[in-house]
Amino acid sequence: MTQVILPGTLRSTSRIGFGTSGLSGELTYKESIALLETAFDAGIRHFDTAPIYGAGASEKILGDFLARRREQVTVTTKFGLMPPRAQSLLLRTKSMIRPVLRQIPGLKSRLARSIKGLSRPANYSAAAMKISLDASLRALRCNRIDLFLLHEADATDISDDLRKVLDDSVRSGLIGTWGVGSSRDKIDRVVACDPNAGRVLQFEWSVLSDCPATYRDSFCITHGAISSSLARLKLLIATPERRRHWSKEIGVDFSVGRTLPRLIVSAALAANPGGIVLFSSKKMINIRDIASLLQSHDDETLLRFLAVVDGS
């Protein structure tokens, strides 16, 4: 199955979604749009964003991309984590120094620390939610957001007032469904304390983790499958002998760089068969390669891969 139906809507979308946290930053506006175009042309129809992504630029860039395609794609955005202070100045500064970021090692991390210092406390109040939703609708240039998630919220952040304005927004058609996108420990507390808040849950999942990729009665969106496991799996096959052994046992060639990321995303899709798996990349070739899993994958190879990983 290459598509799923989003809860609270009759809209179908691709099982693989594209995360936009990497838009802007080192990328120019034109490069960011090109990545979105590549994902769309490769068959991806779900896009994930947030007001804080790309130092506050991600929603606007995605909105420009969506202008001619809104009825063809679905979108998740979030609220709670606030965009950085002096956002417009920050974006202009990053634009001016972008060429330098690519040439001087370490400058990017120092800039990231500076941006973190401009961050604001999370705000999950009903009033803040209304402001954030209005801002996201304007930035995304649409009149409805398919999935609207509380960003890094805990169970104690979901007040009765907040729930009311979220439910009112669903009834008025401004959002399709709301849910929570948080770390796994927070998600567990939300589900335990307030099952109704967990209709949509977004969280990190790793093929190396014992945690399941789904929650009962919830539409689950997982992310971080590659970033959470690729480096560790590469270490496991770092020696030529181990690489040859894995290649023989699984029936693939691990000397080819695309092999491991494809198997990782295939595992994420298999673990969350009724939901969406997010990934992001700044390389068009990688986007096309992962998106091709929507058309075909090898179940037997995946099972052998999972068996070898479990035994390592």
Side-chain angles (χ1 to χ4, degrees), residues 13-84:
T13 196
S14 58
R15 288 196 58 215
I16 296 177
F18 188 72
T20 65
S21 61
L23 298 188
S24 189
E26 294 178 72
L27 302 176
T28 65
Y29 173 86
K30 184 177 180 180
E31 289 168 338
S32 295
I33 291 292
L35 290 182
L36 297 173
E37 297 273 7
T38 299
F40 181 84
D41 291 343
I44 292 173
R45 294 295 181 267
H46 185 75
F47 294 84
D48 177 272
T49 187
I52 67 165
Y53 289 171
S58 174
E59 282 189 325
K60 172 65 169 60
I61 295 171
L62 182 58
D64 291 348
F65 164 78
L66 292 175
R68 294 178 289 109
R69 303 175 178 83
R70 186 61 186 96
E71 296 307 312
Q72 298 174 268
V73 304
T74 57
V75 175
T76 292
T77 194
K78 312 172 188 74
F79 85 98
L81 299 187
M82 308 293 284

Side-chain angles (χ1 to χ4, degrees), residues 115-166:
I115 293 172
K116 188 174 181 180
L118 297 173
S119 62
R120 294 182 286 170
N123 188 342
Y124 302 101
S125 69
M129 175 265 158
K130 291 180 179 179
I131 293 171
S132 184
L133 176 58
D134 287 344
S136 290
L137 287 167
R138 288 194 302 272
L140 291 167
R141 299 170 65 176
C142 60
N143 55 20
R144 174 188 173 93
I145 290 168
D146 300 293
L147 302 179
F148 194 58
L149 306 182
L150 286 71
H151 203 177
E152 290 302 329
D154 210 327
T156 54
D157 296 315
I158 309 174
S159 67
D160 290 341
D161 287 344
L162 175 58
R163 179 190 302 282
K164 182 179 184 305
V165 297
L166 286 164

